[in-house]
Amino acid sequence: MGTTGEETAYDVADLRRRADELAVLNDLARRLAALHDTRDVLDEVARQARRLLVVDVAYIMLLRTDVLRIEVVDGAMGSAMRGIELRSGQGLGGQVLSTGRPLWSEAYLVDDRFPRTPGTESAAQSEQLGGILGVPLVVGEEILGVLLAADRRPRAFVDHDVELLAGLAAHAALALRTADLFDRERTAAAELRTAIATLREVSESRQRASDLRDVLDDVVIRGGGLPAVVAALERSAGILVEVRDHEGRTLAGERSPEGGPVVPVNLPSGHAGDLVASPTTTPGEESDRLLRIGATTVAVLLASERSVTEAELRTRGEFVHALLSSEADEASLLRRARAIGIELGSVATVAVVDPEPVGTTAATAFAARLAAEVRGWSAAHAGQVVVLLPAGVEDVRDVVARLSGADGTTPTTGLAAGTGGPSGVRTAHEEARQTAALLLALDRPGVCATSEDLGLYRSLFSRAGRGEIAAFVRTTVGPLLDHDRERQRDLTVTLETYLEQARHHARTCEVLHIHANTLYQRLDRVTALLGPGWKDPGRALELQVALRLHRLMDTPST
């Protein structure tokens, strides 16, 4: 049976169409091979699927873990389809995923072979989808997703349509895998660049830290002080800082406004101060690291200064002890004084600072501030602090008043004018020491005074007056004092308190915390020792004066 002309023409047209399709697929394969971005590959595949199958809509669903998701839609009337997700077995795409083979529906909306979710149903109706053909995107044995072509009218897809879309899907799957590899390579390259940049930053940061340490080490080696540390931080690290002591006083640098980073400066003995950065300084981990390096150097300098100061204080203390306690010749003492920076010839005032009532630490600090204010020298001696000052008594008194606290934080201070030189300092020290002791005996702790300020007591407790006082006390209350010393009793205190309370029994018992019978027994013993006339007004006054003088003489140390 022969072939008609019409059949021949159809065969030729069919061959030409297939050749054109094959040429399109080959051209598409070349173009896809040149695309290294996943999104570009998806867009190109969707466009060519519409072109080759002459459909209204083409879309691609990619497998994300165990869920298919519509990533690209070409030809859609709206955005309802984008982002729809299906699990294996759901909808036509889910069926293609679960079976791994092409499937098609002539009229999807009325085809009950494909279970649909409300979301997919709504999207399909919104796009008015009719016939749909789906083929898997496969590389080897791995399914990457599903390529689908759809018309807005019913359409029966033939084997040739399936083969054509499957061929496109094969090229697309390879291109997607290649693009994915490129994506991973780009991601890895970006991560590598980030890691290299981070390592470079860390290396540069460590180098800056090392450079700063070298600069600060040089400051310490060359004997630079805290201002040199502040300058080095600004010059080498661009950080404006202020060094404060533990009480918040500025030691170096300009006062920084509140709100900037603060790094504590700690010594083995405790908190020594802070390194405060200006708020204009760029905060960050590196800045904090550089500040900590600076704080370490500040701690070294403060520790060094404290060691030097302590050594100087020990040396001065040994010298002052020798000056006040020995009979060394004046020439030797003057040479030692000059060696440690003390000019004995310029000493115009000697101050003796007693720890009462503030304690040794506060008294030592007060004496150091007094010496610094007047450019003098201070040293501990015999439980007190001796301050040698190149200023007159009245000037020193004014400084003491300025430094004194209003809350009882001032130590007891005796002042005496000196004539300079070792002997002049010794004489002034003895007078100032006796003044401080007498202030405490008179129950006036925390006061600064000279011997002239003590009036009558100054005369009474002079070297000449002390002998007469001792004789008067012995004649008046001697038997009472002997009784207390021999029997370890306190009749002296009882009698003095009784007289101070105007011989009021109840008040005396309250002050001494004793029972009335005990008081009567003690007063009877006083009568036995002093005689029955001790209660006479004149005799009682003499007893009261004698007891007070005895207490004052017994308290100051000579």
Side-chain angles (χ1 to χ4, degrees):
M1 185 174 180
T3 302
T4 66
E6 290 181 1
E7 291 176 339
T8 301
Y10 176 80
D11 290 340
V12 171
D14 185 57
L15 288 173
R16 185 177 294 114
R17 180 172 59 81
R18 288 178 178 273
D20 290 341
E21 291 172 349
L22 184 59
V24 169
L25 286 174
N26 289 335
D27 180 61
L28 177 61
R30 287 193 298 272
R31 278 183 290 161
L32 290 177
L35 297 176
H36 297 155
D37 184 89
T38 301
R39 185 70 189 188
D40 293 341
V41 171
L42 294 174
D43 290 339
E44 183 65 18
V45 170
R47 283 195 297 271
Q48 295 304 325
R50 284 187 66 202
R51 174 186 170 191
L52 286 174
L53 271 72
V54 192
V55 293
D56 297 316
V57 182
Y59 54 103
I60 300 173
M61 307 185 77
L62 295 183
L63 186 61
R64 306 295 187 190
T65 310
D66 58 350
V67 175
L68 277 174
R69 189 176 188 275
I70 297 179
E71 299 290 347
V72 172
V73 180
D74 190 80
M77 294 185 294
S79 59
M81 294 182 65
R82 289 183 178 85
I84 285 179
E85 294 182 347
L86 296 175
R87 294 191 176 276
S88 179
Q90 292 181 338
L92 190 145
Q95 290 280 9
V96 172
L97 176 65
S98 64
T99 61
R101 57 187 179 84
L103 293 173
W104 61 272
S105 173
E106 183 175 351
Y108 180 73
L109 289 175
V110 296
D111 195 335
D112 58 6
R113 291 178 300 158
F114 307 105
R116 293 185 290 275
T117 65
T120 58
E121 182 77 16
S122 174
Q125 288 179 354
S126 175
E127 289 292 336
Q128 302 174 13
L129 298 183
I132 302 178
L133 168 62
V135 296
L137 296 167
V138 181
V139 175
E141 297 182 356
E142 182 183 2
I143 298 179
L144 305 181
V146 179
L147 173 60
L148 301 106
D151 264 333
R152 291 193 176 90
R153 63 185 185 282
R155 175 173 172 176
F157 291 94
V158 297
D159 291 343
H160 177 71
D161 296 327
V162 176
E163 292 173 2
L164 189 59
L165 192 60
L168 176 58
H171 290 305
L174 288 173
L176 285 173
R177 175 50 55 86
T178 301
D180 181 60
L181 292 176
F182 271 103
D183 285 343
R184 293 182 184 181
E185 182 180 349
R186 282 192 293 269
T187 301
E191 291 175 350
L192 181 59
R193 286 193 296 271
T194 302
I196 292 174
T198 301
L199 287 175
R200 184 180 296 112
E201 272 186 33
V202 171
S203 177
E204 292 174 352
S205 175
R206 288 179 177 174
Q207 186 60 48
R208 285 190 290 270
S210 177
D211 292 343
L212 179 61
R213 286 193 185 94
D214 291 342
V215 171
L216 294 178
D217 288 346
D218 188 63
V219 168
V220 174
I221 292 171
R222 292 178 180 274
L226 297 178
V229 174
V230 172
L233 282 169
E234 181 177 359
R235 182 176 62 254
S236 302
I239 303 176
L240 303 176
V241 298
E242 171 204 2
V243 182
R244 298 178 185 173
D245 66 10
H246 67 286
E247 295 181 351
R249 294 188 296 262
T250 300
L251 300 178
E254 295 184 3
R255 188 74 180 180
S256 297
E258 299 301 325
V262 179
V263 177
V265 177
N266 294 319
L267 296 177
S269 58
H271 180 237
D274 297 287
L275 198 62
V276 184
S278 172
T280 57
T281 301
T282 303
E285 183 178 346
E286 181 180 5
S287 178
D288 291 343
R289 185 184 303 113
L290 297 178
L291 283 172
R292 288 195 295 272
I293 293 173
T296 300
T297 303
V298 170
V300 171
L301 291 178
L302 290 180
S304 176
E305 289 179 0
R306 286 189 179 184
S307 296
V308 171
T309 301
E310 290 171 0
E312 290 177 349
L313 288 176
R314 284 195 298 271
T315 302
R316 289 178 183 174
E318 292 168 358
F319 169 75
V320 169
H321 181 75
L323 172 66
L324 301 178
S325 307
S326 72
E327 297 298 329
D329 64 279
E330 290 202 2
S332 174
L333 288 172
L334 288 172
R335 284 196 301 272
R336 288 182 62 183
R338 283 194 295 270
I340 61 175
I342 297 178
E343 293 294 336
L344 289 181
S346 65
V347 175
T349 301
V350 175
V352 172
V353 180
D354 193 276
E356 288 294 332
V358 297
T360 301
T361 301
T364 302
F366 180 85
R369 290 199 298 272
L370 175 60
E373 286 281 337
V374 191
R375 298 180 181 272
W377 310 271
S378 66
H381 176 70
Q384 297 171 320
V385 185
V386 178
V387 191
L388 309 180
L389 302 162
V393 169
E394 293 307 315
D395 291 335
V396 173
R397 193 197 298 268
D398 291 341
V399 175
V400 171
R402 188 169 70 252
L403 296 177
S404 297
D407 54 356
T409 58
T410 305
T412 305
T413 305
L415 301 178
T419 58
S423 60
V425 170
R426 289 194 192 99
T427 302
H429 168 262
E430 179 62 19
E431 182 180 335
R433 185 192 65 78
Q434 289 185 1
T435 298
L438 195 52
L439 284 172
L440 295 175
L442 294 171
D443 198 21
R444 295 172 63 187
V447 172
C448 174
T450 64
S451 60
E452 287 80 2
D453 298 327
L454 300 179
L456 174 64
Y457 291 107
R458 174 195 177 196
S459 301
L460 287 176
F461 288 93
S462 65
R463 292 187 180 274
R466 291 178 69 86
E468 297 179 5
I469 291 174
F472 170 70
V473 170
R474 185 69 196 167
T475 302
T476 307
V477 293
L480 198 63
L481 298 175
D482 292 341
H483 175 273
D484 282 357
R485 183 174 58 256
E486 293 171 0
R487 293 174 173 77
Q488 299 297 310
R489 294 291 188 265
D490 52 5
L491 292 181
T492 303
V493 175
T494 301
L495 178 58
E496 185 175 8
T497 304
Y498 180 67
L499 295 174
E500 287 178 351
Q501 298 300 320
R503 297 190 285 184
H504 192 286
H505 287 73
R507 287 200 298 267
T508 303
C509 291
E510 183 179 353
V511 171
L512 294 176
H513 304 291
I514 59 175
H515 193 271
N517 291 338
T518 302
L519 176 61
Y520 286 122
Q521 292 172 4
R522 292 181 181 180
L523 293 178
D524 288 342
R525 187 59 184 164
V526 169
T527 301
L529 292 169
L530 300 181
W534 70 268
K535 293 183 180 180
D536 296 338
R539 177 66 171 157
L541 178 60
E542 288 183 356
L543 290 172
Q544 189 171 3
V545 171
L547 291 171
R548 182 67 181 273
L549 290 174
H550 169 70
R551 180 160 57 84
L552 292 176
M553 288 182 63
D554 193 51
T555 302
S557 173
T558 57

